[in-house]
Amino acid sequence: MVLTEQEKQSLIDLANTARQRAYAPYSNYPVGAALRTRSGRIFTGVNIENAAYPHTMCAERVAIFKAVSDGEKDFEVISVVTDNGGSPCGGCRQVLAEFSLDTIVLMADGSGKLIKEMTVKELLPEAFTPDHLSK
Ligand code: THU
């Protein structure tokens, strides 16, 4: 599947707009994500922190969980926007890997510039997936 530059930028812009709604009073590191399914639906997410720090939830997982709870599990691409173009944490890579190793991950900075584009397979080599449990 080939994404046009315009499609990529539009997903990045959606994530960056969502990022304004991040709840990150402890880290001051707001993150926004926008996940597009193969059916064309888009789910956004932001990081949501908590005074009890470990209960924080990442932006990517918020977007993924919103999609799954709305019946969508076929993910094509996710954009992630942070101040400095940071990449998804290990936990989010694992959750993405649950659904597809082929999902494209766009990493962009706060100006909306695409910094890196990789697949989940590239971000999480030798991933543990549902296949391992069915053999
Ligand atoms: N964060 C995300 O939302 N996604 C990631 O992949 C990396 C980290 C959030 C969690 C926390 O609210 C803040 O960024 C600093 O770790």
Side-chain angles (χ1 to χ4, degrees):
M1 175 248 338
V2 180
L3 288 168
T4 66
E5 293 308 308
Q6 202 179 356
E7 284 178 305
K8 290 181 197 176
Q9 197 56 55
S10 144
L11 268 182
I12 290 168
D13 292 346
L14 281 170
N16 212 3
T17 299
R19 197 165 76 100
Q20 293 168 19
R21 301 190 291 273
Y23 178 72
Y26 307 109
S27 70
N28 288 310
Y29 190 76
V31 185
L35 175 68
R36 193 174 84 186
T37 65
R38 289 192 193 279
S39 63
R41 292 177 73 184
I42 292 173
F43 297 86
T44 60
V46 298
N47 52 334
I48 303 170
E49 299 187 344
N50 193 281
Y53 294 176
H55 299 290
T56 289
M57 183 52 63
C58 291
E60 299 91 318
R61 271 179 281 173
V62 170
I64 294 164
F65 294 162
K66 280 169 71 178
V68 173
S69 69
D70 272 1
E72 298 279 358
K73 290 190 286 271
D74 205 358
F75 307 142
E76 186 173 49
V77 51
I78 185 168
S79 64
V80 185
V81 180
T82 60
D83 283 345
N84 53 6
S87 60
C89 78
C92 289
R93 294 176 198 207
Q94 181 64 36
V95 172
L96 281 163
E98 177 73 18
F99 299 103
S100 173
L101 295 176
D102 297 322
T103 304
I104 293 169
V105 183
L106 307 172
M107 295 156 256
D109 70 14
S111 75
K113 181 172 182 278
L114 178 63
I115 303 294
K116 257 186 209 152
E117 174 177 344
M118 296 173 78
T119 61
V120 171
K121 193 186 289 185
E122 289 169 328
L123 282 167
L124 193 64
E126 303 301 328
F128 185 79
T129 67
D131 284 349
H132 290 99
L133 296 178
S134 59
K135 282 173 188 155

